[in-house]
Each structure stands twice: as C-alpha cells, then as structure tokens.
C-alpha cells in the first residue's frame, strides 16, 4: 500500500515523459513485437478458459457422463456388426456433446453475467477478432475433448457390448466424427450465446433446437416437416454419428453442421457489431 | 489525447418516433482532453459521464459523432491497452478468476510479458492477494485491481470512472498522488467523479456536463473563481428585524433566502455592505459571515437545472432547505 515511485510506472523504458501533444496518432501502436492481433486474442481466451476452475469441473462432468452413458447405451445393443464406438457416438449425440458445448456457452454468458466482457472488449475491441478467437479456442478444446471422450467412450462401450466387430478405421473415423460434432456444436452454441447472452436463454434455445423442434416436426403429418427436421443441426448430427440415413450421408452432414455453426457465428457478429456491449 | 466531436448517444427507439421513450444520454458533446493534465469530468448522476467513457472505449456505439483516442477510434487501435488504460467498472472481472490470471489474460492479449503483471500488482499494492479470486475482493481492492489493469499497457491515456469509490483515505491519497504523477509524466488523465472535494485536489482542468451536454470546460482555477459569488450568512435573534434587513438589502442583492427563522442567506452583496445596512436599520446581528466559494457551489450552480433526478438531489442552491445546506449554521 505504498505510494508508487513514478519511475516504476514506465519500467519497460518505452516512449514516455513529456510525450505532450507530440504523442500523435498511433503512438505506441505497431511499436514493439507485441502479439496483439489474433494470436494475442487466442492467448487471452485460452488464459481465461484455463484459469477458471469451472472449466475443469465441466470437462470432468462430460467425462463422467460419457463413462456412464456409453456402457448404458452399449448394453442395449445386440448387433454383431456394431462398432465398439457406436455407443460413444450415440452418447455424444444425445447429451454428452451438449455438456461440452456448455463450456462454450459459459465462456460467453459468463462474461456477460460478470461484467468481464468490458475488460475483454477493451483488450480485443475488434468484434470479429474477439469472436474468431473464442471460436478457435472453444472449437479446438471441444474437438480435443470430443476425441478424448470418443476414445474413452469406445473403450467403455466395447466392454459393455455382448457382440461387436472392431474395424480400426471405422472406429477412428467415428471418434473423429465425435470430435467434429462436439466442436461444431460448441461453435454453434457460442454464436447463440453471444446473441442471447444468458445461460438460461441459451439452454432453452439449445433444447428447442436440438431436441424439441425435431420431435415436433417429425410428429407433424406430411413429409415436409420431417425433411426440415433432417437438415436441422441434430438431423445432421444423426447422419454423422448415428448412421441415420435418408436424404444425405455423413459427407454432406459434416459441411451442413459446419454451415449451422457458421450461420450462428455470423449472426453473432452482426449482433455484436450493432449492440452496445 | 482524447477528442470528442459532436458525440451523441440516444437510447431507446431511435429513428422511429422521436421522443417516444427515447433518452439522450450524451448530447452533442465536443471536447478535447489534453496530455500532461488531470482533467476532471464532473456531472450529477445520470449526466452521461459513464456513457461518454463507454463511447470513448468503443463499448457503446455513438448515435452520431465520434470519440477518438490519439486520433483514432478505439476499435482501430492496434494495441489499445498500450494507448489507453481504463477503469470503467472495478468489477469487470470474473469473480472466480484470480486477480493475477485476470491481468495475465489481458497482458497476453497484447504480448505484454508476465513480469509487467507483477509490476502493476505491486504498484496497486495488491501483490499479496493476487492469487485470490476477484470475487473475494473488497470494493477498495477491486478498485486497485482496476487501476492495475489500467496501468498494464503503460498507456499514454488513462480513463478512470469514479476511481476513488470505495477506497479508504489511504487509498484516496494513493490514487491522488498516482494520478498527479502520471499527468506529470505527460500522460492524459481523464477521471470522472461526483466527489467535488476530491476533484478540487486532483484535477487541473474541469469538464462539467449535465444531461449529456457540456456545461463548462475550463481550468480548475477559473471554475473556482467563477464560483466566487458573494454569499453572506446572517443570523439574528429577532425574526422581525431580520425581515426588515431582508427587505432593505433585497433591493441590491441578487437573492435573499431564509435558511430558518433566525437566519438569512444573502447573495450578490459583500458582507460589509450587509453589516452597514443592518447598522442603519438597527438590526441586531449575532452572526455575519461570508461563505467561501467552493467547487461544490460552483458546480451546483452550473448543474442546477440540469439535474437528472432533481428529487433525490435536493441541495441545489435554489431549492435547498436550511438543515441540509449547512447543519452547523442552523443550531
């Protein structure tokens, strides 16, 4: 609690003192090798993510959910052709993926709820860079987590299957697909969270979009509502992860899911640029 | 250097029907905040101080006009923290993140080395609590963290919204010394406060706004001098006699006001003249004193009429009552 010595204030020996009116436009900007820009924004997001204990709790919760869900789903299988990664894929699709996506949600809603966003936008005022950095970090973490959950879930699932056929390439593809699905779902959630801002609102929207809306559409008469349900994110996820057929296959499902994630992020950027923080 | 040009911020339905729930928070504000000085930003609650600062920081979008930092919009600054350090909201941090990690994240966004984080923690005097979550901080510690964050990039411009809020006297003195030394180094220091006494001690220049409009922009000394309107307090034992005095002095005074049955406040006349008139009219006085002009009075006069929440802020010169205005005098 001491009164600072003014000399302490400019310890890096950069431009200073008597700067006066001469410190015109751009003084300090561009100077030095600082890693602002996107790299800095990503490092910032990463630091924020790993310095919260809730991050680790949530990842642990996702692991526990997978550890419970994959064998739980596995025991219902009685198909000799089943891949040991099938239960993990279904678990990711119907719940575990959203647990991972909750991390992306909290990275945005947490900032709005705590006022931390003011600090973030001071450091990264460019809204596109801010959003891109969040997408890269959350997407990357979710992909890695999805792959890890896929591997763990495959092991847990294999133990619970009474009969299965293991093809390394099939299983590896499924594990990567789980990673891709959780990553894209996270990015979609991140965009949604930026628009909605509150956790309760995001969870409601996600539940509607992923679970309620497809069920409602499929319950309607006629083929058209069901077709719409097929191209919703969850419909694409089913084709990517659950071997659902009809309309299109995994090769279309992945870009379709990516398009959903992109649309959500584009909307988020539009809203961010127009709205007061 | 901060440059505001016709900065305007309206909330509510813009465009559609003017006046329909629309509120102008900042109204055509133009001003320059120059380096090497502490510029105080004063105004009653709701005058638009915080909104102006948020507009400068690119957090809110102006309805029209521009706010430039060193000639550029905030969002256009390549390394904003190295040019502007801001304390807008002391608790602009996640409550469960440690103070150290809060600052470390900010530093990483600009490639500022971690050593600088330790330095600013030291300058702010919160090194010992750096590992604790921000949510456990007292108001004063939160303010110190905000100051540390503002200093992180060693910026040329400092923007501080109510920095002394919640600080103990020790902390207030610390901030005052810090801001003065920062300005002495040639930096631009812009701070808002509603504590006029604090401003009187810290600021070189004053910018006063009310209802989003610029009311005054002048060196502190000028504002204080402008506030030197002769105000004289008169106390006497007989209300009737005081009434006579009020009647006769009223012709030459700007204003005569009853503070209580036995006390008058006369404005626009020197104390000597009031004494002379009292003597001529044989009015007995128990007290006759010239009230000193303070920044508070200068400010009150500037902002009267532009007070947003008039009911809550009674002590404006025209509508104050005795007890609130000067409790000591009405004993």
């Amino acid at each position: 609690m001491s009164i600072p010595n003014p000399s302490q204030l400019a310890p890096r020996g950069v431009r200073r003192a008597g700067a006066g009116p001469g410190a015109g436009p751009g003084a300090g900007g561009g100077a030095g090798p600082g890693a602002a820009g996107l790299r800095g924004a990503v490092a910032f997001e990463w630091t924020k993510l790993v310095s919260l204990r809730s991050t680790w709790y949530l990842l642990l919760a996702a692991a526990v959910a997978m550890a419970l869900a994959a064998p739980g789903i596995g025991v219902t299988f009685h198909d000799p052709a089943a891949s040991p990664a099938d239960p993990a894929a279904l678990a990711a699709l119907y719940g575990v993926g959203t647990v991972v996506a909750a991390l992306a949600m909290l990275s945005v809603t947490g900032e709005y709820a705590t006022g931390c966003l003011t600090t973030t936008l001071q450091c990264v005022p460019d809204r596109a860079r801010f959003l891109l950095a969040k997408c890269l970090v959350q997407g990357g973490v979710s992909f890695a987590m999805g792959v890890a959950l896929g591997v763990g879930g495959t092991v847990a699932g294999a133990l619970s299957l009474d009969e299965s056929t293991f093809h390394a390439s099939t299983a590896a593809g499924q594990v990567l697909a789980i990673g891709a699905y959780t990553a894209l779902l996270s990015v979609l959630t991140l965009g949604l969270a930026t628009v909605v801002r509150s956790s309760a609102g995001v969870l409601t929207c996600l539940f509607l979009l992923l679970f309620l809306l497809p069920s409602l559409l499929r319950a309607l008469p006629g083929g058209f509502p069901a077709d719409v349900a097929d191209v919703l994110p969850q419909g694409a996820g089913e084709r990517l992860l659950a071997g659902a057929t009809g309309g299109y296959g995994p090769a279309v499902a992945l870009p379709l899911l990516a398009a959903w994630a992109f649309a959500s992020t584009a909307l988020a950027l539009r809203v961010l640029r127009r709205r007061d923080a | 250097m901060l440059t505001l040009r016709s900065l305007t911020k309206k909330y509510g339905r813009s465009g559609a029907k003017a006046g329909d729930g629309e509120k102008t928070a900042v109204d055509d504000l133009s001003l320059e905040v120059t380096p090497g000085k502490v510029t105080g930003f004063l105004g009653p609650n709701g005058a638009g101080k915080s909104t102006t600062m948020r507009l400068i920081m690119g957090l809110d979008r102006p309805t029209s006009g521009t706010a430039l930092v060193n000639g550029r919009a905030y969002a256009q600054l390549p390394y904003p923290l190295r040019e502007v350090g801001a304390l807008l909201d002391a608790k602009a941090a996640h409550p469960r993140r440690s103070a150290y990690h809060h600052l470390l994240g900010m530093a990483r966004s600009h490639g500022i080395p971690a050593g600088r984080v330790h330095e600013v923690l030291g300058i702010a005097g919160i090194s010992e609590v750096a590992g604790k979550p921000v949510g456990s901080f007292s108001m004063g510690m939160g303010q110190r963290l905000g100051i540390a964050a503002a200093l992180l990039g060693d910026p040329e411009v400092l923007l501080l919204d109510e920095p002394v809020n919640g600080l103990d006297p020790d902390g207030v003195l610390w901030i005052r010394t810090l801001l003065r030394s920062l300005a002495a180094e040639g930096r631009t220091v812009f701070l808002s406060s509603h504590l006029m006494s604090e401003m009187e001690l810290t600021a070189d220049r004053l910018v006063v706004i009310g209802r989003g409009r610029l009311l005054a922009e002048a060196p502190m000394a000028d504002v204080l001098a402008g506030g030197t309107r002769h105000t004289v307090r008169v106390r006497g034992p007989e209300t009737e006699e005081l009434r006579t005095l009020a009647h006769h002095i009223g012709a030459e005074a700007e204003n005569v006001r009853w503070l209580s049955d036995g006390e008058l406040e006369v404005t626009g006349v020197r104390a000597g003249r009031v004494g002379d008139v009292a003597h001529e009219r044989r009015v007995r006085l128990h007290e006759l004193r010239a009230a000193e002009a303070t920044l508070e009075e200068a400010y009150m006069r500037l902002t009267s009429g532009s007070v947003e929440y008039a009911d809550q802020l009674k002590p404006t010169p025209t509508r104050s009552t005795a007890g609130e205005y000067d409790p000591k005098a009405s004993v």
Side-chain angles (χ1 to χ4, degrees):
Chain A
M1 304 278 164
S2 63
I3 292 159
N5 175 346
S7 66
Q8 279 181 291
L9 299 168
R12 286 182 295 114
V14 292
R15 87 235 139 57
R16 184 55 339 114
L38 185 61
R39 245 179 65 205
V42 167
F44 184 23
E45 287 303 326
W46 176 258
T47 307
K48 283 191 289 183
L49 185 68
V50 298
S51 61
L52 280 182
R53 212 173 288 169
S54 58
T55 300
W56 308 107
Y57 289 148
L58 202 59
L59 292 179
L60 184 66
V64 169
M66 180 57 95
L68 294 175
I73 294 169
V75 295
T76 66
F77 276 46
H78 303 286
D79 178 3
S83 160
D86 282 352
L90 287 177
L93 183 60
Y94 296 112
V96 178
T98 41
V99 178
V100 178
L103 196 59
M105 172 189 86
L106 285 176
S107 87
V108 175
T109 57
E111 294 217 15
Y112 276 106
T114 62
C116 183
L117 189 76
T118 306
T119 298
T120 300
L121 291 180
Q122 270 174 45
C123 299
V124 187
D126 184 324
R127 306 301 197 258
R129 187 187 302 155
F130 158 79
L131 209 53
L132 184 59
K134 272 210 187 294
C135 287
L136 287 174
V137 169
Q138 293 297 332
V141 166
S142 295
F143 180 77
M145 191 61 193
V147 167
L149 289 173
V151 171
T154 301
V155 173
L159 297 173
S160 67
L161 291 171
D162 53 3
E163 36 186 355
S164 65
T165 314
F166 178 73
H167 288 295
S169 60
T170 311
Q174 282 180 297
V175 166
L176 285 178
I178 293 172
Y181 172 79
T182 45
L184 291 172
L185 185 63
S186 284
V187 173
L188 187 147
T189 305
L190 203 152
L192 196 63
T194 308
V195 176
V196 176
R197 289 180 278 185
S198 83
S199 293
V202 176
L203 291 176
T204 307
C205 290
L206 268 188
F207 179 72
L208 282 176
L209 180 69
L210 297 182
F211 304 113
L212 199 59
L213 191 59
S215 313
L216 279 174
L217 287 170
R218 291 199 173 113
L220 290 174
F224 181 70
D227 289 345
V228 173
D230 285 347
V231 297
L232 287 176
Q234 197 67 346
E238 280 162 2
R239 275 153 192 79
L240 187 65
L241 294 177
T245 48
Y248 57 97
V252 176
L254 189 60
L256 180 58
L257 208 50
W260 276 106
F262 179 79
S264 163
T265 316
L267 178 67
L269 179 58
R270 193 181 153 84
V271 170
L272 262 185
R273 281 190 168 148
R274 293 181 168 215
R275 190 171 62 196
D276 290 339
Chain B
M1 166 82 96
L2 299 170
T3 315
L4 312 187
R5 287 193 202 124
S6 302
L7 192 65
T8 302
K9 178 67 183 176
K10 292 176 180 170
Y11 287 111
R13 299 168 57 84
S14 54
K17 269 186 274 178
D20 183 28
E22 194 180 270
K23 185 181 170 311
T24 305
V26 179
D27 194 357
D28 198 24
L29 192 60
S30 295
L31 72 111
E32 285 213 334
V33 183
T34 48
K37 292 192 195 82
V38 175
T39 303
F41 194 30
L42 272 175
N45 286 338
K49 299 187 297 293
S50 295
T51 305
T52 303
M53 291 198 159
R54 290 180 62 82
L55 291 168
I56 294 170
M57 296 301 293
L59 293 168
D60 291 356
R61 279 162 48 96
T63 307
S64 61
T66 50
L68 303 177
V69 180
N70 295 332
R72 273 192 265 193
Y74 188 85
Q76 251 85 62
L77 298 173
Y79 297 85
L81 293 188
R82 291 181 189 256
E83 300 201 40
V84 201
L87 164 67
L88 294 185
D89 175 4
K91 291 273 168 139
H94 197 296
R96 283 183 296 283
R97 190 174 286 130
S98 75
Y100 173 73
H101 281 103
H102 174 69
L103 295 173
L104 183 66
M106 295 180 73
R108 288 207 174 141
S109 74
H110 278 54
I112 295 169
R116 177 65 182 164
V117 172
H118 292 289
E119 276 168 18
V120 293
L121 282 165
I123 292 170
I126 48 172
S127 297
E128 303 85 56
V129 292
K132 290 192 176 165
V134 177
S136 70
F137 278 22
S138 67
M139 181 94 178
M141 277 150 72
Q143 291 286 14
R144 284 171 180 270
L145 176 62
I147 300 282
L151 295 175
L152 190 63
D154 192 23
E156 196 265 317
V157 180
L158 280 140
L159 205 78
L160 308 152
D161 197 5
E162 302 274 359
V164 298
N165 259 5
L167 286 178
D168 50 16
D170 187 35
V172 172
L173 179 65
W174 168 71
I175 286 255
R176 193 186 301 154
T177 315
L178 177 68
L179 296 182
R180 299 253 25 120
S181 69
L182 288 168
E185 287 171 36
R187 300 179 209 238
T188 308
V189 181
F190 190 44
L191 86 145
S192 81
S193 179
H194 65 278
L195 295 174
M196 288 148 289
S197 51
E198 183 52 37
M199 214 52 118
E200 208 167 343
L201 291 166
T202 313
D204 306 297
R205 255 186 100 71
L206 271 189
V207 171
V208 185
I209 66 167
R211 288 190 178 163
R213 291 186 152 274
L214 185 67
L215 297 178
E217 183 194 3
M220 175 67 78
D222 291 4
V223 174
L224 285 176
T228 321
R229 180 178 62 152
H230 303 286
T231 300
V232 180
R233 300 273 169 78
V234 185
R235 213 156 57 80
E238 294 289 341
T239 309
E240 260 322 302
E241 293 182 9
L242 282 178
R243 210 184 298 280
T244 310
L245 174 66
H247 176 74
H248 286 96
I249 202 79
E252 44 194 291
E254 272 173 36
N255 191 26
V256 178
R257 213 154 59 86
W258 288 90
L259 299 178
S260 68
D261 277 355
E263 191 171 14
L264 281 175
E265 189 190 73
V266 184
T267 317
V269 187
R270 287 176 189 279
R273 178 68 193 139
V274 176
D276 289 350
V277 173
H279 177 72
E280 280 167 24
R281 302 291 163 188
R282 300 189 57 76
V283 176
R284 272 185 304 156
L285 298 183
H286 283 180
E287 188 180 327
L288 171 67
R289 68 186 163 92
E292 252 182 83
T294 60
L295 176 59
E296 179 148 2
E297 285 173 5
Y299 163 81
M300 285 300 188
R301 198 167 47 261
L302 280 167
T303 54
S304 68
S306 68
V307 176
E308 171 91 354
Y309 308 109
D311 292 342
Q312 285 102 301
L313 286 176
K314 279 191 195 122
T316 57
T318 46
R319 64 182 77 182
S320 65
T321 53
E324 281 164 324
Y325 201 74
D326 190 350
K328 274 177 288 178
S330 58
V331 174

